[in-house]
Amino acid sequence: MSQTILLLSGPNLNLLGDREPEVYGTDTLDDHAATAAATAERHGLAIEHHQSNDEAAIIDHIHQARGRCAAIIINPGAFTHYSWAIHDALAAFEGPVVELHLSNPNAREPWRHTSVVSPVATGTIVGFGGHGYELAVEAVARLLAG
Ligand code: DQA
């Protein structure tokens, strides 16, 4: 059975394609999930994708990945900048965690410069738009291959 990567998308990412296209591009979240799935398949991996605008639902998905998923790729949206609860949930996950952002938050408003997720991420990919989904899966595949 192929190993599963949990891909988690946080608040407002369901609006991608429509939402501030000058910042986030015109591809939809389904497009990005498809990119991740195609990249995973090339490595014999599978993607399980969930999007939620609800912090508790995201935390529940992280908990349910424990002992079941090989890795987590997460774009926590604005929760990135203040959700210590997501930080703690990720800290309790045993596998690699990739933090992913379409834009480069460090080049935007000062309040986006802090990530409370980065300290518990194996690595972070920011600013490459949709290509970041491919890069994130490639990074996970390399880590899982040891
Ligand atoms: C984002 C960056 C966050 O600052 C923002 O709140 C988002 C999207 C990104 O992918 O660039 O919702 O995570």
Side-chain angles (χ1 to χ4, degrees):
M1 225 176 76
S2 59
Q3 289 179 297
T4 300
I5 303 169
L6 177 65
L7 173 64
L8 278 178
S9 302
N12 301 307
L13 296 177
N14 53 310
L15 299 181
L16 287 177
D18 218 26
R19 171 196 184 202
E20 298 178 83
E22 67 287 358
V23 178
Y24 299 116
T26 52
D27 287 345
T28 65
L29 186 58
D30 281 349
D31 293 332
H32 297 313
T35 298
T39 310
E41 201 180 327
R42 286 203 293 277
H43 291 279
L45 300 166
I47 293 285
E48 175 184 317
H49 178 230
H50 300 281
Q51 186 276 334
S52 182
N53 298 319
D54 178 353
E55 186 181 18
I58 292 172
I59 292 164
D60 286 343
H61 284 304
I62 296 169
H63 290 177
Q64 286 155 16
R66 298 176 73 226
R68 190 176 65 82
C69 295
I72 295 177
I73 297 170
I74 182 166
N75 182 344
F79 288 146
T80 305
H81 311 299
Y82 64 92
S83 177
W84 290 105
I86 290 177
H87 167 113
D88 282 351
L90 290 169
F93 178 74
E94 64 282 358
V97 172
V98 176
E99 177 188 354
L100 172 64
H101 299 283
L102 290 156
S103 67
N104 177 358
N106 299 308
R108 300 178 64 193
E109 305 95 313
W111 63 267
R112 294 186 202 270
H113 297 182
T114 297
S115 168
V116 300
V117 170
S118 290
V120 289
T122 312
T124 301
I125 294 171
V126 303
F128 294 104
H131 184 45
Y133 285 79
E134 190 177 338
L135 295 172
V137 175
E138 291 287 351
V140 165
R142 182 77 69 94
L143 287 166
L144 294 179

